[in-house]
Amino acid sequence: MKLGVCYYPEHWPEAQWAEDARHMAEIGITQVRIGEFAWSRIEPEPGVLTFEWLDRAIDTLHRAGLHIVLGTPTATPPKWLIDAHPDVLAVDAHGRPRRFGSRRHYCFSSQTYRAQCARIVAALARRYGQHPAVQAWQTDNEYGCHDTIISYSDAARAGFRRWLADKYGQIDALNKAWGNVFWSMEYRHFDEIDPPVETVTEANPAHRQDWARFASDEVTAFDKVQTDIIRAHSPGRDVLHNYMGMFTAFDHFKLGKQLDVAAWDSYPLGFLEWAWWPEATKLRFLRQGHPDFTAFHHDLYRGVGKGRWQVIEQQPGPVNWSAWNPAPLPGMVRAWTWEALAHGAECVSYFRWRQAPFAQEQMHAGLLRPDSSEAEAAYEARQVATEIKALTPGSHRQAPVALVFDYEAVWATQIQPQGRDYRPLELVIHFYAAARRLGLSVDVVHPSADLTGYQIVLCPLQIFWPVDLALRLKASGAACVLGPRTGSKTDDFQIPADLPPGGARTLIPITVNRVESLRPGHIEQAGPFQVTRWLEHIASPLTPEASTDSGHGIWYRTEAVDYLACWPDAQLLETVLAKRCAERGLAVLALPDGLRLRQRGNIQFAINYEATPVNLADYVPGATSLDFVIGGVELPPAGVAAWKLR
Ligand code: GAL
């Protein structure tokens, strides 16, 4: 467990670097990420490489004992590069190039840009690949940030046609898979196919799903150019990428396979404002962030990173990019840091060292104010650094619950929501939160994951049903909770021949005969439960465990499987889960919305997201006699407690 910071030596006079490095080390920081936007300073003119300043910056940080994560600067191609190679720019849905003047102004499919990236990354990797301070590399910065996965450039169109030809081989196979007989959409050659954009009404969903798959693969291919070069010149160093929160436009598991560590950028207050939570929730957690939103991403990226992950950008104070940008509750930066460490993070690194008085992010807090005085978060980071020294919790252990998460299903749901508020990530986090309120730890896993050792597997959004998933579930012996729309599409984006849930029917004997989406305000009462948004009409020999007053079963159950034929409310989810836990001998708690527990190794952590105190004794049996190593039984607002498990 360690702390880090994001630093931009090129933003500050060189005379300040040594003091910055000393100050970082004094706070207890050991990792510094640098370099990821510095292309115009590394190569001010085409082919003129000016590494000397970076040599000195790296050496200065090294002398202070800091380890470096060196970023490749490919999120910010300089002006001369764009002017010399305008085909580097991404193209928007109306065919207009996106312009220079901010960042991420490039198209993943541009072969010109891939060659330019290979050139600058090779130069960096050759120069610093063996430097003792450089312990890891970050490729680019936040793939997809500012809505940059999709580009309708000529290069993307050509790439898409190649990708389709590879996938289908024959054009007839594509026509059949997509159902192109419908509306006379049949093609004679792969070269006739365009990206699904600016069609008169919606484009064929199968066309859109393949476009999403292609765009995702382009990100992985783009990254591989850099990763391969770094591995060749910098053996033994970790390669990571910094992913985002609430971002699903490419398959992170796929990219994660070629990296060593998953990093992500955690901005709990910015995300709270962005996300779907009702007004009352946003007001309640205004200065804390939503307790389950951040934790979900920790668990997701631990899965993406095959167990190795970190928060490489941690919000330290108000950010600049949400509709409103409040300050965290006193103590909240410390609590966020502990939440990440409790979930198994190797490092929590604050963004950024010093608030910049210039340019786009001048309203974004840092650990220091622009005048170098310490901002609030610096004190909290120092406190965590001291606390870390006293703890050796070991690493993450397999959680009792797995949540299966499929990026392809997210795209499918976005392409064909069928109800305007069928938000895939919201549904997934809704399931996740129910488990967390019961005090359960959760691993987020890919649909192809080995499920051995899990007691309960949640599949909130398994629209495409992998052929072997039922077998793997049965082999694991886990109980399984299937969400609505399970198995409702074939991989070709068609309704299965035997109707949904298609291949998942081997787990539970049901057939979905009809689905309906419900506008906001319409509630179908189902005993103590309320159904909103989505209701399926099921035929089954099973007697439902719960039905709407109008007579539709919403919860079907076998010895090992639950199927929810609706958008469930929180109470239904908790009831289903608690019943399974009781059968499996898994102890559950009834935590209030603002209190969350997380186990790392032999230490149990508790974090209070409320703006009011919480007494653990009200929720955790035996709380008064725990062996506390941080805090105690009474948690103040933003409070953290940790105790040794016996
Ligand atoms: C991240 C990005 C950083 C910085 C930060 C501000 O998305 O990676 O470079 O812009 O947001 O919160």
Side-chain angles (χ1 to χ4, degrees), residues 310-324:
Q310 58 171 273
V311 172
I312 205 159
E313 294 183 20
Q314 170 64 63
Q315 175 167 2
V319 299
N320 62 305
W321 46 261
S322 233
W324 291 275

Side-chain angles (χ1 to χ4, degrees), residues 8 33 36-37 103 141-142 145 242 265 267 313 319-321 351 361 364:
Y8 301 91
R33 187 194 66 184
E36 78 275 15
F37 301 122
R103 63 176 170 182
N141 189 78
E142 290 193 341
C145 186
N242 59 332
D265 299 343
Y267 293 92
E313 294 183 20
V319 299
N320 62 305
W321 46 261
F351 182 92
E361 292 180 348
H364 193 297

